[in-house]
Amino acid sequence: MDTPLKRTPLYDAHVKAGARMVPFGGWEMPVQYAGIVEEHRTVRSAVGLFDVSHMGEFEIAGPDALAVLQYLTTNDVAALQDGQVQYSVLCYPNGTIVDDLTVYRLGPDRFMLTVNAGNIDKDWAWVNQSTERGTKARWRNVSEETGLIAVQGPKAETLVGRVADRDVTKLGYYRFVRGTVRGVSTLVSRTGYTGEDGFELYVPAADTARLWAALLDLGRADGAAPIGLGARDTLRLEMKYALYGNDIDETTNALEAGLGWVVKPAKGDFIGRDALEKVRAEGVRRKLVGLEMVDKAVARHGYAVHKAGRPVGVVTSGSYGPSVDRYIAMAYVETALAAIGTALDVEVRGQAKAARVVRTPFYPSRVKKAG
Amino acid sequence: MPNVPTDLKYTREHEWAKQDGARVRVGITAYAQEQLGDVVFVELPKVGARVTAKKPFGVVESVKAVSDLFAPVSGEVVEVNADLPNKPETVNQDPYGRGWMIVIAPSNVGEWDTLLTAAQYEEFLAQGGH
């Protein structure tokens, strides 16, 4: 039997705005409003609002919270100060990926984890199961009570700056501050998934619709518009940001996915450490690379990658990149064929279409640098 | 309701067909392009290729989806819209005009009568279009 799709606090607002709603990770979400390409350009040139309330948030508090997170995640949580955010990964013992996430240090022994919508139940079971009994740390799943609005684009700072009671212009990348935005108690995080400057606003679920409406209204002068999951996907693809379920999953390890920069064995033991240390010592067998199509064709998730007729990898994400005006893709390919400039073929409907490995991000990142 | 010109015939896969002398010009409907969203890629057969009614003759891709294009009638491809590979967005902008895809010299004139009339296609859309 099908499980009924879940809805975010903004469901009614999306329907009223004429969004096309689709199932995504167990949720009924807007895939587009005005059109994917137009929405993509709005984010690159002005500012877009994304409903990402479907994402999950877990809090952990207690004297052992840091130790628990050090064991669960690959990045070094001890490096975080209050008000800082860290990208990280939950790994299985074999080094493959349970989920990718962000870790917020709310206080010395209090943290918040933001996880992918489709993985909330799996992750919740995982973090609880992997936390030893009797440990002095308590988990709380606050996903349902938390709304999340991403405000992304070159005008995001202007818009959020106008409505927040804190000076967000001073907030560095991967930093957050608590305050109120249009009277709504908000955790303002300078993070995102588009490659543009911007914010993610964590708010009480009950206030999300009010804040969404206010931001759209006040942002009109800045060209603000609601953005669906379709453009969210093309924006992140141009940055080569991994999407769980497409580019990373329980069959891909964190190192071949190019996430070695958040794998910190020097911090001590964590789940997956031994396996990843072994992979690092032996070298990865394949790498997640950026491909640009040379022949006219769209590479899609699951398409085979060939070299001189021999299968050498698989496409994990691919589409038209509106800002680069090219057909681009992400693919795992044998390490020997991962060098920039390598000529490869993508099998599209039985035909070999020429592609080449290119430098990424495909489009230059304009995120604000750490401050 | 999307535009359904009365001088065309239609398929249940949302192609339109227009009689052009003895030939048949083919494209996708306004409804189809709306459902697809931004068209970013069009793959068409070469002039001289044979196409078969109700069988795929090409592919149209939007940002999110890949869809086959189905031939309304059988025959030989005598013209191909060479602008589409470089300007796929034309399909969204003008599906019944500059967004045309191929022209077929039909090999079985009887097939024309099996296509939906505008009224029938509108009825089909009213019932959900699939």
Side-chain angles (χ1 to χ4, degrees):
Chain A
M1 209 176 76
D2 288 346
T3 319
L5 294 171
K6 286 179 270 192
R7 292 175 175 178
T8 75
L10 298 178
Y11 175 83
D12 290 340
H14 300 321
V15 171
K16 216 168 138 196
R20 184 175 300 171
M21 305 300 288
V22 298
F24 176 83
W27 295 76
E28 196 168 1
M29 298 298 292
V31 66
Q32 65 169 67
Y33 301 79
I36 293 174
V37 172
E38 181 181 333
E39 291 165 33
H40 179 111
R41 298 212 159 102
T42 295
V43 174
R44 292 269 183 258
S45 65
V47 55
L49 301 186
F50 301 74
D51 178 14
V52 275
S53 301
H54 58 316
M55 297 196 72
E57 295 85 11
F58 305 158
E59 282 186 14
I60 181 168
D64 289 343
L66 174 63
V68 168
L69 290 183
Q70 287 288 56
Y71 184 63
L72 276 172
T73 67
T74 60
N75 208 339
D76 185 8
V77 189
L80 278 181
Q81 304 290 317
D82 288 357
Q84 295 187 343
V85 193
Q86 184 177 73
Y87 179 68
S88 194
V89 179
L90 298 175
C91 279
Y92 292 106
N94 69 356
T96 65
I97 301 175
V98 180
D99 203 359
D100 65 331
L101 73 165
T102 45
V103 178
Y104 288 72
R105 180 165 139 160
L106 305 174
D109 49 14
R110 218 171 130 237
F111 299 84
M112 178 177 77
L113 275 52
T114 303
V115 303
N116 282 297
N119 290 338
I120 294 174
D121 294 344
K122 177 184 76 174
D123 291 355
W124 181 243
W126 179 255
V127 299
N128 280 283
Q129 171 201 318
S130 309
T131 307
E132 281 176 51
R133 257 171 222 262
T135 303
K136 293 196 281 300
R138 237 189 75 217
W139 285 102
R140 213 158 71 84
N141 184 346
V142 295
S143 303
E144 300 239 335
E145 63 205 65
T146 309
L148 183 54
I149 298 171
V151 185
Q152 303 277 302
K155 301 278 183 64
E157 187 180 83
T158 311
L159 174 56
V160 175
R162 218 174 324 131
V163 289
D165 69 338
R166 300 300 171 103
D167 182 6
V168 297
T169 64
K170 300 284 194 307
L171 197 60
Y173 191 49
Y174 271 70
R175 300 287 188 273
F176 71 91
V177 65
R178 284 178 176 285
T180 65
V181 178
R182 288 292 280 182
V184 174
S185 164
T186 306
L187 187 155
V188 180
S189 173
R190 197 146 205 166
T191 46
Y193 194 51
T194 62
E196 295 298 324
D197 182 24
F199 302 86
E200 292 175 303
L201 309 177
Y202 293 81
V203 293
D207 298 322
T208 312
R210 186 157 59 91
L211 183 59
W212 175 264
L215 287 168
L216 274 179
D217 192 38
L218 292 161
R220 204 162 295 148
D222 308 308
I227 311 297
L229 292 183
R232 185 169 163 82
D233 194 44
T234 52
L235 289 158
R236 70 94 194 165
L237 174 62
E238 287 184 338
M239 303 315 300
K240 194 176 168 262
Y241 290 159
L243 172 62
Y244 194 92
N246 273 45
D247 314 296
I248 54 174
D249 60 26
E250 68 288 339
T251 69
T252 64
N253 75 53
L255 297 176
E256 63 195 13
L259 302 178
W261 61 283
V262 295
V263 176
K264 306 283 174 62
K267 74 171 179 171
D269 194 24
F270 60 88
I271 302 173
R273 181 182 185 240
D274 294 348
L276 291 171
E277 281 290 83
K278 187 158 176 277
V279 171
R280 203 169 247 165
E282 291 172 357
V284 294
R285 292 206 188 99
R286 56 179 189 168
K287 277 186 179 173
L288 187 61
V289 298
L291 293 183
E292 180 181 300
M293 298 307 297
V294 176
D295 283 342
K296 217 173 246 301
V298 190
R300 304 272 183 184
H301 178 83
Y303 286 11
V305 180
H306 290 199
K307 176 73 182 179
R310 184 175 69 87
V312 296
V314 63
V315 173
T316 55
S317 289
S319 189
Y320 169 71
S323 299
V324 294
D325 193 23
R326 284 183 164 71
Y327 302 111
I328 55 175
M330 292 160 68
Y332 283 104
V333 301
E334 292 175 3
T335 302
L337 299 170
I340 306 296
T342 306
L344 298 168
D345 295 314
V346 176
E347 191 186 332
V348 180
R349 294 181 284 279
Q351 290 189 314
K353 298 290 184 182
R356 66 163 171 263
V357 179
V358 294
R359 233 171 264 288
T360 54
F362 297 96
Y363 182 81
S365 170
R366 296 192 289 182
V367 299
K368 186 169 165 120
K369 289 303 156 206
Chain B
M1 194 54 126
N3 179 22
V4 178
T6 53
D7 58 331
L8 307 179
K9 289 234 189 183
Y10 299 89
T11 70
R12 286 186 165 76
E13 288 79 32
H14 306 287
E15 286 82 18
W16 55 261
K18 182 184 187 178
Q19 244 163 359
D20 199 346
R23 299 164 161 190
V24 175
R25 189 173 298 263
V26 179
I28 66 169
T29 67
Y31 173 84
Q33 68 80 18
E34 263 181 47
Q35 289 298 306
L36 282 166
D38 295 307
V39 172
V40 297
F41 179 83
V42 180
E43 188 173 273
L44 299 174
K46 291 192 166 56
V47 168
R50 313 289 306 183
V51 297
T52 306
K54 297 181 175 154
K55 292 277 165 57
F57 70 80
V59 167
V60 59
E61 299 197 37
S62 65
V63 176
K64 300 293 280 183
V66 184
S67 304
D68 283 327
L69 296 163
F70 292 87
V73 297
S74 307
E76 185 185 332
V77 176
V78 291
E79 263 188 77
V80 171
N81 187 344
D83 294 339
L84 290 190
N86 292 319
K87 288 186 152 297
E89 66 274 15
T90 311
V91 176
N92 296 113
Q93 293 159 352
D94 192 8
Y96 297 115
R98 289 176 301 114
W100 69 276
M101 290 172 173
I102 57 172
V103 176
I104 300 170
S107 55
N108 179 355
V109 287
E111 283 168 350
W112 179 258
D113 296 322
T114 68
L115 297 173
L116 303 177
T117 64
Q120 287 168 330
Y121 181 62
E122 277 189 328
E123 174 69 22
F124 176 64
L125 290 183
Q127 287 165 3
H130 45 74

